Amino acid sequence: MKVLVIGANGQIGKHVVSLIQKNDKLEAKAMIRKEEQADFFKDLGADVAIVDLEGEIEEIAKAAEDVDAIVFTAGSGPKTGKDKTLMIDLDGAVKTIEAAKQANVKRYIMISSYDTTREAIQSAPESFAPYVVAKHYADEWLRDTDLDYTIIHPGALTNDPGKNQVALAEKVERGEVPREDIARVIVESLLHDSTIGKEFQVVTGNTPVEEAIQSL
Amino acid sequence: MKVLVIGANGQIGKHVVSLIQKNDKLEAKAMIRKEEQADFFKDLGADVAIVDLEGEIEEIAKAAEDVDAIVFTAGSGPKTGKDKTLMIDLDGAVKTIEAAKQANVKRYIMISSYDTTREAIQSAPESFAPYVVAKHYADEWLRDTDLDYTIIHPGALTNDPGKNQVALAEKVERGEVPREDIARVIVESLLHDSTIGKEFQVVTGNTPVEEAIQSL
C-alpha cells in the first residue's frame, strides 16, 4: 500500500514516513513544500512530491494519483498566524480531501486535534479557539464524504520517545502523547481496515498500539 | 414579518434596520453585542437582543424564537485579525444557521462576499484569501441546509448614498456598490420569495433594486 503523507516534513510526518518505510506492507510518498526538504525522505527510500498546500487541488490530486491512501498530518500549529490556520488547517485539509476524491483514493487518515466538537470550540481559550474551529470544519468536511476515513484525535503532543503504550477510544481522559506514538497509531490504522469510518482520541496509556487498534 | 438582523450595529446592518422599520410589512429585531449600542435601534422602534456571536448557539436561537427571518450581515471585515475571521465570519455565521434550525426559522439571508468560489480563494491576494476561505465555508454550510436561503454577494462596498440602481445577477462585472443599496437588496429579498434558494452578485447598475429582484 502506497501512502501519500501530507505534511511529511512536520514532526509527526517524519516519524510516519520512517515507520512506513520500515514496514514491508507499506511505502511512503512524502508530500513536502520545498525541494530542500527532500533529502531526509529520499534517504529513507521514500518517494517525494513537491506540492504547496496553498496551491490548487489539481496539484495535490496529481501527487495522489499513484497512491492507495492519504495521511493528513500537516498543520500550521496553534502558534502560527491565524491566516495560516485558515489556509492550512482548514482549507488545506479540505483541498486534500477533494484531491483524494479526484484521484479516486478512498482511504484517508486525518490527524485532527484532541477535541474538535462544538463544546470544545465554546470552552477553548480565546487564543486557541480559532485553531479548534479550523479543525472542526475540516473534520466535518471529511465526515460528509464517502471516503474510507479515520480521524485521529491526539492528546497534548510531546517529543518524548514513543512508548508504544496508549489509551485509545472514542473518549479518553485528557493527557499527553509522544508524536512518535501517534505515528504508530497512523501506521496501525493503515494496516487495520477496522479503523475505517471511526474516530478516536489517543493519549499515553497501558496498551501497545497494535492491540489498542485491534480492540477498537 | 419580523426579522432578526445579526450584525445590526455594522454599517450595512444599521441601514437594514432603518429600511425595515420604514416598511409596513416588516419589523426588525436588532441583534447586537453591547447594551450601549441599543439606543440607535430603540430610537427606530426596533426590538433589540444583546447576544455575542462568539457565545453559544442556544443564545442566538433564543433571540430568533419570535422572528420569521434572519439576516446575517455581521462581519469581522477583511482588516481585523484572522482569529476573528475564523470566529465571526465562519463560525459565527454557522452558529446563526444552526440557531435558525433550532428556532425553526426557515428564511435566512446571508450577506456573503463578492466571490467565494474555490477559484476566488486561489486567486485572492494572500492577505485577503483567509477572509474568502471563511466566507466560502459559511456559504457552503448554508447551501447544505434545508433553510429557505438567499446568498447575496456584494461588490466592493462604499459608504456613498444609495442610488437604488443596481446590476444584479448570478454573475456581474466586478464593481462598487453602496452599503445602503445592499440594505435595499436585503429588504426586497425579504419581500420577494422568488429569491429563495438563489444567490447573486450585486454592483451599482441601471435597474432599481425592486425591479432587479423581480427579474431574477
Side-chain angles (χ1 to χ4, degrees), chain A residues 54-57 81-87 90-92 94-95 118 121-122 126 129-131 133-134 136-137 140-141 144, chain B residues 54-57 81-87 90-92 94-95 118 121-122 126 129-131 133-134 136-137 140-141 144:
Chain A
E54 295 190 58
E56 308 274 345
I57 292 172
K82 294 307 180 290
D83 51 340
K84 291 301 173 197
T85 304
L86 268 157
M87 300 310 290
L90 172 54
D91 200 44
V94 168
K95 285 193 284 188
R118 165 61 49 200
I121 294 172
Q122 298 305 136
E126 194 174 349
Y131 177 72
V133 169
H136 171 82
Y137 287 99
E140 281 282 304
W141 195 274
D144 204 34
Chain B
E54 294 190 57
E56 308 275 346
I57 292 172
K82 294 305 181 290
D83 52 338
K84 291 299 173 200
T85 305
L86 268 158
M87 300 311 291
L90 172 53
D91 200 45
V94 168
K95 285 193 284 189
R118 165 61 50 198
I121 295 172
Q122 297 305 136
E126 194 175 349
Y131 177 72
V133 168
H136 171 82
Y137 287 98
E140 282 283 303
W141 194 276
D144 204 34

